[in-house]
Amino acid sequence: MTLSLEILDRLIGFETISARSNLDLIAYVEEFLVTRQFRVHRIADLTDDKAGLYAEMGPGGAGGVLLSAHSDVVPVTGQHWTRPPFKLTRDGDLLFGRGTTDMKGFLAEMLAAADTASRRTLTAPLKLLISYDEEIGCVGIARMRDRLTPLLGTPRLAIVGEPTEMQVAIGHKGKRAYRAEITGQAGHSALAPNYISALQLAVDLVLDLRALQADLKQNGARDAGYDIPYSTVHAGKMISGTALNIVPEWAELVFEIRHLAEDDPDLLERRIAKAAAELTAPLAGAGAIALHPLAAYPGLATPATGDATRQVQGWSGGKTCKVAFGTEGGVLAEMGIPTVVCGPGSMERQGHKADEHISCAQLAACATLLANALDTLQ
């Protein structure tokens, strides 16, 4: 594991939280792969301060295995770390640093596997994908998609290395996130009944979202493979008001839907839009609710008995499962690639937390998975 730990040390040192550029990390990976004779394509973001990367080795075209990771990490602001977050620190079997679990540990093993592949003659291609801005709603891969499609061909399968403790995740919910912009009328609070409070409208919309959630729990689709076996609606942030004695004329509500494959997100969106329209219809233009999409990604539903699932289970020894968090796997599956999620570490116990860490044992298990995958490409 010497090489993968050296790589992980470098990767943790890049402060690639989503609000910052990832170009230094991409340049490091690009040089690493080019020197090993990979065919490398940088896919720049429109903002010019982010980029993704696609690389391959072996015969071009269809087939082969795609390994996929994102380069960004969540912030450390407000968390109490006892170790430097952007410096790899070892304590026995544990390796500490932001991104060790989510998901630079897998990326390090992916690059170490690329190093091994560079010394072999492959009869089927090894394909590598590194994205950006995954943590803010799989935004980067959505922007890369049109330019990525002709490069990818049709891999036999894809492994997205999000932390699953090396179990083979074959499903997760899709997500849609929205910002509701709510307008009303300003006025003196002593005369509040004479005005339309944007804050009150926002609260009424939250109540409608709660009603939709209750209906989905009672009557919506169910999948016992998930901790929460039904689609969920969550209001996460509300902003409004400037002073107690002023009726608020503006409010903002941010909310999301996390939906099972069986629940149509377009239909759920229309139900929310209808509820918003019904709230404002009696107001004769004095109040309004505008819904603005923020992010979206599809769910993942890979057959438990499919070839991709069985092959990755054979390589990893892991059982199948479904995960609560979203991944880029749904996007890859939507592109026609049989996809599973399998990687080292635990999202529940380690991901997004202070003193994020991963065990060397989990990294070794990941290295075994990728070594087995490489053996099928010779």
Side-chain angles (χ1 to χ4, degrees):
M1 289 178 59
T2 301
L3 177 60
S4 62
L5 293 183
E6 290 175 358
I7 297 169
L8 183 57
D9 181 63
R10 290 293 304 275
L11 295 176
I12 297 302
F14 296 111
E15 298 187 25
T16 52
I17 61 174
S18 301
R20 296 185 180 180
S21 173
N22 74 334
L23 293 182
D24 288 344
L25 181 148
I26 291 296
Y28 163 72
V29 174
E30 189 172 40
E31 180 181 9
F32 182 94
L33 295 173
V34 166
T35 60
R36 287 159 176 81
Q37 308 306 311
F38 273 76
R39 301 184 293 276
V40 179
H41 305 266
R42 183 185 288 216
I43 304 175
D45 185 60
L46 298 177
T47 62
D48 293 328
D49 65 352
K50 303 279 183 73
L53 206 67
Y54 173 72
E56 63 182 12
M57 172 166 283
V65 172
L66 172 66
L67 305 178
S68 178
H70 62 78
S71 61
D72 58 317
V73 297
V74 296
V76 299
T77 304
Q79 295 184 336
H80 177 64
W81 284 69
T82 63
R83 298 165 174 85
F86 296 106
K87 178 179 173 59
L88 189 66
T89 306
R90 184 165 186 170
D91 185 354
D93 184 54
L94 301 181
L95 301 163
F96 291 82
R98 174 57 88 217
T100 46
T101 283
D102 185 17
M103 59 181 298
K104 290 179 177 179
F106 179 83
L107 177 55
E109 293 298 341
M110 186 171 107
L111 295 176
D115 177 73
T116 300
S118 70
R119 297 188 298 275
R120 297 185 180 182
T121 300
L122 303 184
T123 61
L126 174 63
K127 304 183 177 188
L128 310 177
L129 172 62
I130 302 172
S131 69
Y132 59 96
D133 284 355
E134 188 273 348
E135 295 289 5
I136 57 174
C138 298
V139 171
I141 196 168
R143 293 176 178 170
M144 295 168 62
R145 181 169 174 169
D146 289 346
R147 289 166 290 169
L148 185 60
T149 299
L151 297 172
L152 275 177
T154 310
R156 185 172 84 247
L157 62 87
I159 301 173
V160 178
E162 293 278 10
T164 64
E165 297 183 274
M166 299 309 298
Q167 302 308 302
V168 183
I170 57 174
H172 64 70
K173 297 175 183 179
K175 175 180 173 177
R176 290 194 181 181
Y178 303 88
R179 178 176 65 88
E181 186 176 8
I182 300 136
T183 53
Q185 299 170 310
H188 197 290
S189 63
L191 303 171
N194 293 338
Y195 303 100
I196 303 299
S197 167
L199 176 55
Q200 183 65 59
L201 269 179
V203 171
D204 291 343
L205 181 58
V206 171
L207 293 176
D208 283 336
L209 295 178
R210 290 185 64 186
L212 175 58
Q213 174 66 95
D215 183 61
L216 289 169
K217 181 178 180 180
Q218 184 68 29
N219 304 309
R222 301 187 80 82
D223 186 333
Y226 293 100
D227 291 338
I228 306 297
Y230 46 84
S231 297
T232 60
V233 184
H234 164 67
K237 184 178 179 181
M238 184 189 294
I239 304 171
S240 185
T242 55
L244 179 58
N245 62 349
I246 302 174
V247 176
E249 63 178 334
W250 179 87
E252 179 180 273
L253 175 68
V254 180
F255 65 94
E256 68 175 17
I257 304 166
R258 291 186 183 256
H259 59 89
L260 295 173
E262 295 82 359
D263 281 328
D264 182 356
D266 290 333
L267 176 59
L268 297 178
E269 181 179 313
R270 288 196 294 271
R271 288 180 64 177
I272 294 169
K274 182 174 182 290
E278 290 174 350
L279 286 173
T280 57
L283 304 180
I289 299 175
L291 300 180
H292 304 285
L294 292 177
Y297 55 76
L300 177 68
T302 300
T305 57
D307 289 343
T309 303
R310 290 202 304 268
Q311 286 186 44
V312 179
Q313 278 191 279
W315 298 339
S316 69
K319 298 179 180 179
T320 60
C321 65
K322 295 182 179 180
V323 292
F325 55 89
T327 78
E328 295 170 336
V331 177
L332 296 176
E334 199 173 63
M335 295 169 68
I337 304 168
T339 301
V340 300
V341 180
C342 184
S346 167
M347 186 70 83
E348 180 180 0
R349 292 195 297 274
Q350 297 148 6
H352 295 204
K353 298 179 184 293
D355 287 343
E356 181 181 347
H357 60 275
I358 198 166
S359 70
C360 292
Q362 280 283 294
L363 291 178
C366 181
T368 298
L369 161 71
L370 298 184
N372 290 335
L374 276 184
D375 287 343
T376 69
L377 302 180
Q378 291 184 279

